[in-house]
Amino acid sequence: MSKGFFLPLVSVLLVSHLITAYGLLDSYVQLVLMYVGINIILSVSLNLINGYMGEFSVGHAGFMAIGAYTSAILTVRMFPDALAPWLFPIAVVAAGVVTAIVGALLAIPSFKTRGDYLAIVTLAFGMIVKSVLENMDSLGAARGFLGISKYTNLTWVVFWAMAAVWMVRNFIYSSFGRGVLSVREDEIAASAAGVNTRQVKLFAFTLSSFFAGVAGALYAHLLMFINPKMFDLTKSTEMLIMVYLGGIGSIGGSIVGAMIYTVLLELLRPLGIWRMVLMPIMLVLLMILRPRGIMGLSEFRWLIPSVGVSSKGAKIVQDDAVGD
Amino acid sequence: MLQLGSIYALIALGYTMVYGVLQMINFAHGDIFMLGAFMCFFSLTVLKTSLGQTLLISMFGAALLGVMTERFAYRPLRYAPKVSAIITALGVGMFLENFTLALSPYPKHIPSVFNGKQLVMGGLTMSSLQVLTIVLAVGLMIVLDIIVFKTKLGMALRAISSDAAIVPLMGISVNKVVSMTFAIGAGLGGAAGTLYAIAYPVIDPYMGVMVGWKAFISAVIGGIGNIRGAMLGGFILGFVEVFAAVLLPSTYRDVVAFSLLMILLIYRPYGLLGRPKTLKV
């Protein structure tokens, strides 16, 4: 991380901690901010697969579900009650790790299939996770998992959102991460040029699912109640909308997309059911007027490391980009 | 079993035809199926039509709807990146679901059209409804097969799916063919909606989601873009689901269906009747 980046990050974290500790913001506003943060984690991690690697994953809600249930089992069933609040970070990381392992397994079909067919594999994965959870009586089956304590606060959400943005950004702009982009542009040419495409895909899926798991853990401990229906296809669709609204292949786009989508849904709440009619219309109009999304393959300058090629691959960004 | 399979097959045809022509997964198709069921409800309760008229109304209505979604949502995106078309399709699907939900918040109950007559053939017992569903579905598929393989429209359709770039140069109006494809596909979806609504008489705005995905799976099993493959895939999936429900608790039905899909895709990514595409470098 460049030096110029460090101070803003720490101060944002500090501010969010103060807000949590002293209740500086209305609790409703805090809640919305937390949703925004969780959605940023989700859309940034999904963008890694869908935007940067050019695959079409529809199973992200499945990863989220695994993370949510893993963390809930840990804090409710495994950890002693007195220690659970302190061990919550461990539960979040563990949720991420378990999800990452599953994500790595799901990367295996991606070695052989691409495009629409891989999309269906991920879709099937999401459905299988949901159905299996619905059948597990020990986890509450379709009734859901009750009795989760509220450990998620704004500080944790902000911390993990920044971690996700930071890790994905550093990965994408590393020389190994370049391989991800090369897979999107032309897989055969990439492997001919010496990119180990399998390794790249494995890593991208692992990283992406790790953060989806983390987001699931935060989500579970924010709502204090989870059931399999929360992680169905609608959830995955929601994430896709955030990613494509913001623009594929752009971390900044994912952040903007998640913010706009979440806040807009909240603002339109007075419309009741009609907001769910209005949202898709706006989405379709956006796609027609601006098919690449709001940011569409371009990036905020502060998200581009000091020396490197921009995500368009054409222009070299000099070291004044971040203000080192 | 055959009944469920034939409904899946009818919907799968809509997916596969659109995919064949535009290389696009029309995620709104499941919701067209749902609207077909709602149109069936509307014409049975409000217009008090007979079964035949109901079927025609919902087929025609669904076809109109399919053409309209293509005209207003997909056509402007014909040359845009493929993902934006897919997202648009998801958006159209959400719109149709939520719009229906806003208009009709409670599940609707379809009045029964049939008295449960049982037919015994050999050792098999079937209700007359099941027989009718299967006969109608198979009839529609035969008609479609004739359209696709024997008429000029079908020839144009197959031409576009084999080489979309050259077809307009041959003086064929791509827009017309695409509109017709959507009309036929959506019409079959509407027919499936009616048949489904009569067989499982409680309908709600989200019923199209799961059935739509299952039909999509059928299309993929058969090899997406392949019309006969979609029919085969539908029957296979219906068969597997019913058998899974017999052998395992019925809640495992979806798990089995989707696991089957995943295994198939790993070993035969282009479907049963599809041909593997060789990638030229």
Side-chain angles (χ1 to χ4, degrees):
Chain A
M1 191 182 347
S2 53
K3 268 181 270 166
F5 225 36
F6 192 64
L7 212 63
L9 286 189
V10 172
S11 47
V12 168
L13 205 59
L14 210 69
V15 168
S16 60
H17 178 66
L18 288 177
I19 291 173
T20 320
Y22 297 101
L24 295 180
L25 280 175
D26 184 47
S27 60
Y28 173 66
V29 177
Q30 276 195 39
L31 187 70
V32 174
L33 283 178
M34 282 192 261
Y35 281 139
V36 171
I38 291 173
N39 283 340
I40 286 176
I41 302 176
L42 288 169
S43 57
V44 167
S45 61
L46 184 62
N47 207 340
L48 186 59
I49 296 178
N50 284 33
Y52 287 104
M53 207 160 67
E55 297 293 2
F56 195 76
S57 167
V58 210
H60 225 51
F63 290 136
M64 199 183 164
I66 294 174
Y69 273 88
T70 310
S71 65
I73 293 168
L74 283 176
T75 57
V76 177
R77 304 248 170 100
M78 300 285 196
F79 294 158
D81 281 350
L83 287 177
W86 303 102
L87 293 176
F88 173 58
I90 296 176
V92 175
V93 174
V97 170
V98 170
T99 317
I101 293 168
V102 179
L105 289 178
L106 194 64
I108 294 169
S110 80
F111 298 159
K112 268 184 138 179
T113 47
R114 288 213 59 167
D116 298 321
Y117 287 100
L118 185 63
I120 300 153
V121 172
T122 59
L123 170 85
F125 163 75
M127 301 260 190
I128 290 172
V129 169
K130 184 182 163 248
S131 301
V132 167
L133 288 175
E134 271 175 354
N135 282 306
M136 285 176 86
D137 257 331
S138 59
L139 297 181
R143 294 182 306 278
F145 196 108
L146 297 155
I148 306 169
S149 310
K150 187 173 177 181
Y151 295 135
T152 304
N153 58 32
L154 193 59
T155 317
W156 277 122
V157 172
V158 169
F159 170 77
W160 279 109
M162 290 196 307
V165 169
W166 184 65
M167 296 247 318
V168 171
R169 159 188 175 272
N170 283 8
F171 172 57
I172 287 301
Y173 288 101
S174 70
S175 54
F176 181 56
R178 296 266 140 216
V180 175
L181 297 181
S182 69
V183 167
R184 175 182 75 194
E185 299 303 333
D186 191 331
E187 193 176 337
I188 293 166
S191 62
V195 175
N196 186 344
T197 52
R198 289 191 171 195
Q199 203 183 1
V200 164
K201 285 177 179 175
L202 191 67
F203 196 82
F205 265 99
T206 312
L207 187 64
S208 172
S209 49
F210 174 82
F211 279 110
V214 166
L218 293 173
Y219 191 69
H221 289 83
L222 178 62
L223 289 183
M224 300 185 279
F225 164 72
I226 43 177
N227 73 10
K229 231 185 140 75
M230 282 176 187
F231 306 103
D232 63 356
L233 209 74
T234 326
K235 192 80 198 169
S236 290
T237 316
E238 220 172 64
M239 293 179 214
L240 288 173
I241 290 173
M242 289 188 281
V243 168
Y244 289 95
L245 181 77
I248 54 161
S250 159
I251 298 171
S254 291
I255 299 174
V256 170
M259 282 179 177
I260 292 182
Y261 183 80
T262 319
V263 173
L264 208 61
L265 267 188
E266 287 302 324
L267 289 181
L268 292 176
R269 202 171 273 281
L271 291 177
I273 178 69
W274 289 99
R275 83 184 163 140
M276 296 313 287
V277 179
L278 208 61
M279 273 313 277
I281 295 181
M282 290 196 294
L283 181 74
V284 171
L285 283 180
L286 181 92
M287 282 295 134
I288 290 173
L289 301 174
R290 223 183 137 81
R292 286 187 180 280
I294 296 169
M295 298 281 292
L297 289 178
S298 58
E299 191 64 277
F300 289 131
R301 296 196 88 189
W302 52 271
L303 276 170
I304 302 172
S306 357
V307 180
V309 187
S310 83
S311 61
K312 278 186 179 145
K315 98 186 156 210
I316 303 285
V317 180
Q318 290 304 323
D319 55 349
D320 58 346
V322 193
D324 201 335
Chain B
M1 180 159 92
L2 279 172
Q3 184 186 20
L4 194 63
S6 54
I7 289 172
Y8 285 154
L10 276 181
I11 311 170
L13 284 169
Y15 280 108
T16 220
M17 284 174 72
V18 170
Y19 190 88
V21 173
L22 291 181
Q23 259 81 55
M24 182 197 109
I25 304 172
N26 179 14
F27 282 119
H29 191 60
D31 300 299
I32 298 226
F33 155 80
M34 175 272 293
L35 281 165
F38 269 82
M39 280 181 237
C40 160
F41 170 78
F42 177 77
S43 68
L44 277 179
T45 51
V46 179
L47 304 176
K48 306 244 183 278
T49 47
S50 70
L51 188 67
Q53 289 164 323
T54 309
L55 193 67
L56 281 179
I57 286 175
S58 64
M59 277 179 78
F60 186 74
L64 199 67
L65 207 70
V67 174
M68 266 161 56
T69 53
E70 193 274 326
R71 178 68 195 80
F72 293 113
Y74 304 146
R75 193 174 294 176
L77 286 166
R78 180 94 42 92
Y79 302 103
K82 217 187 286 174
V83 281
S84 20
I86 293 177
I87 295 297
T88 307
L90 283 173
V92 170
M94 271 170 76
F95 168 73
L96 294 177
E97 281 158 29
N98 293 320
F99 191 72
T100 318
L101 186 70
L103 292 181
S104 125
Y106 304 107
K108 295 273 183 284
H109 202 90
I110 303 271
S112 68
V113 230
F114 272 117
N115 44 356
K117 240 183 275 168
Q118 298 287 321
L119 298 175
V120 184
M121 292 189 296
L124 287 163
T125 318
M126 290 172 109
S127 70
S128 48
L129 174 62
Q130 284 170 320
V131 175
L132 181 89
T133 308
I134 296 163
V135 168
L136 264 177
V138 172
L140 284 171
M141 284 179 227
I142 291 170
V143 171
L144 178 75
D145 209 71
I146 292 170
I147 292 178
V148 171
F149 290 99
K150 294 279 178 332
T151 64
K152 269 199 168 164
L153 173 75
M155 198 190 277
L157 204 145
R158 283 178 290 138
I160 291 181
S161 77
S162 83
D163 191 339
I166 212 84
V167 168
L169 302 176
M170 301 288 144
I172 299 166
S173 162
V174 176
N175 278 344
K176 233 183 236 168
V177 177
V178 170
S179 291
M180 278 313 287
T181 309
F182 269 87
I184 296 172
L188 292 176
T194 305
L195 294 175
Y196 188 89
I198 295 168
Y200 307 91
V202 181
I203 58 172
D204 71 272
Y206 292 107
M207 64 186 265
V209 179
M210 206 51 182
V211 177
W213 283 110
K214 296 261 178 72
F216 178 60
I217 293 175
S218 320
V220 175
I221 291 176
I224 193 156
N226 185 316
I227 287 169
R228 287 176 183 164
M231 303 179 195
L232 179 71
F235 285 112
I236 290 177
L237 189 68
F239 192 76
V240 169
E241 277 204 347
V242 174
F243 259 80
V246 171
L247 296 174
L248 293 163
S250 66
T251 39
Y252 279 99
R253 214 171 73 166
D254 295 348
V255 184
V256 172
F258 287 112
S259 309
L260 173 84
L261 174 80
M262 267 177 101
I263 295 166
L264 184 87
L265 280 183
I266 290 168
Y267 288 103
R268 229 185 132 79
Y270 34 84
L272 289 178
L273 295 189
R275 257 168 294 154
K277 275 184 199 143
T278 37
L279 207 59
K280 284 181 198 141
V281 187

